[in-house]
Amino acid sequence: MYKFALIGCDIGYTSSPVVHEAVSGELGIDISFEVCDIGASGLEAAVTKLFDTVDGIFVTKPYKNDIKRYLDKVNTRSGVNVVRCADKSGFNTDGIGFLYALDRAFDDWRSKVRGVLVLGSGGAARSVAEALADTGKSVYVLNRDMVTAAKMCRAFGIEQYYNQPAELIVNCTSAGSDGEDILKALCVSPEFEYAYDLIYYADTPFMQRTAAAGAKVSDGKAMLVYQAIEGEKLLTGVKADTLDVFERAFAKLDGKF
C-alpha cells in the first residue's frame, strides 16, 4: 500500500481524498490518504515528519513555493505540488493537468486563443502560466501584489497585464470561494471568449460574471483529477493512459465533489 498525504492551510473544503481514491482504483493500486491542514508555523515540522511516514506528499495552497526549501531536488520552475519522499524531490503536475483540462473544456482554444490573462502569482498561477507559455501563447499576469507578479514575469518571460488583447482568462487565486469578486477587485472586465477557474468547490462570481458576459466557462474539477492521476503515476511508476484513467475516474466521481 502506498501512503500519501495532502498539506495545505484552511483546506477543510478539499475533495482530494475522494479524488485520489477514485484515481488509485483505476490505476490498480492501494493507497491511504491523509489530509494535513497546518498553519505556516507548523510547516517544517509537518513536512519533516511526513518524509519518514508517507511515500508522497501532495501540496496545495499556500505552500507550493514554500515547500521547496525542505527539498533536496526541485524538478520544476513552477510551484511544487507533488513530493516524492524517498529522495525529497519536488515535481509539478498542475501544468500538464491544467492543459488536459483546458483541452477537455474548450476543444478549440488552441487555435482560437492568442493571448491569456492569468490572475494571481502564487504556485498554481506559475504552473498555469508556464504551461501556457510553453504552448506559444502570449501570457499576461495580473495580481494585487505587483512585485510578485513582476518576479513571475521575469521567471517565465511573460508580461504584466496592461489591458493587452486576451481571449482566455484564468483565475488562479482563491478569491471567489468566499464570494469575493476577483474581477471587481482587480478592475477587469468579464468579457472574454473563454474563462477557466481553478476553484472547483464553489460557484464563484468569476464564473458567474464571465458566463453572463458570453464566455465559455469551466471550473477546476477536471484539473484536480488530471493532476492527481499524473501525480500518482509519478510516485508509483504505474504506466497508464491518463485520458483513459480520467474518463473512468471522473465518471465515478460524478456528484461527489
Side-chain angles (χ1 to χ4, degrees), residues 115-137:
V116 186
L117 171 56
V118 173
L119 304 181
S121 59
R126 293 171 69 90
S127 304
V128 165
E130 181 178 26
L132 287 166
D134 285 347
T135 68
K137 305 302 180 185

Side-chain angles (χ1 to χ4, degrees), residues 216-236:
K216 297 177 183 178
V217 301
S218 178
D219 65 21
K221 288 187 178 70
M223 177 180 170
L224 180 66
V225 178
Y226 280 122
Q227 65 81 24
I229 295 168
E230 291 295 321
E232 288 197 22
K233 286 170 59 179
L234 188 156
L235 292 171
T236 64

Side-chain angles (χ1 to χ4, degrees), residues 93-116:
T93 64
D94 279 338
I96 189 171
F98 171 72
L99 291 180
Y100 273 131
L102 211 57
D103 287 337
R104 182 177 186 272
F106 315 126
D107 59 6
D108 58 354
W109 79 273
R110 289 181 184 263
S111 62
K112 292 190 174 181
V113 170
R114 297 179 298 279
V116 186

Side-chain angles (χ1 to χ4, degrees), residues 120-181:
S121 59
R126 293 171 69 90
S127 304
V128 165
E130 181 178 26
L132 287 166
D134 285 347
T135 68
K137 305 302 180 185
S138 297
V139 181
Y140 313 110
V141 179
L142 185 61
N143 189 51
R144 286 180 248 221
D145 185 337
M146 299 293 284
V147 174
T148 58
K151 290 179 180 178
M152 177 173 156
C153 289
R154 288 195 295 271
F156 300 114
I158 56 182
E159 301 177 33
Q160 292 201 58
Y161 182 66
Y162 299 108
N163 209 33
Q164 298 96 323
E167 294 80 25
L168 167 65
I169 182 170
V170 186
N171 178 33
C172 299
T173 77
S174 60
S177 56
D178 58 357
E180 181 183 6
D181 187 341

Side-chain angles (χ1 to χ4, degrees), residues 46-121:
V47 171
T48 300
K49 179 180 178 181
L50 288 171
F51 279 151
D52 295 327
T53 57
V54 302
D55 300 296
I57 304 170
F58 289 84
V59 187
T60 189
K61 61 104 176 172
Y63 300 132
K64 293 184 179 184
N65 289 321
D66 295 337
I67 190 73
K68 293 179 180 180
R69 68 174 68 109
Y70 308 112
L71 303 178
D72 290 340
K73 186 176 182 180
V74 176
N75 300 280
T76 176
R77 294 183 297 159
S78 303
V80 166
N81 74 303
V82 178
V83 174
R84 186 171 59 206
C85 294
D87 58 358
K88 298 181 182 178
S89 292
F91 305 87
N92 181 282
T93 64
D94 279 338
I96 189 171
F98 171 72
L99 291 180
Y100 273 131
L102 211 57
D103 287 337
R104 182 177 186 272
F106 315 126
D107 59 6
D108 58 354
W109 79 273
R110 289 181 184 263
S111 62
K112 292 190 174 181
V113 170
R114 297 179 298 279
V116 186
L117 171 56
V118 173
L119 304 181
S121 59

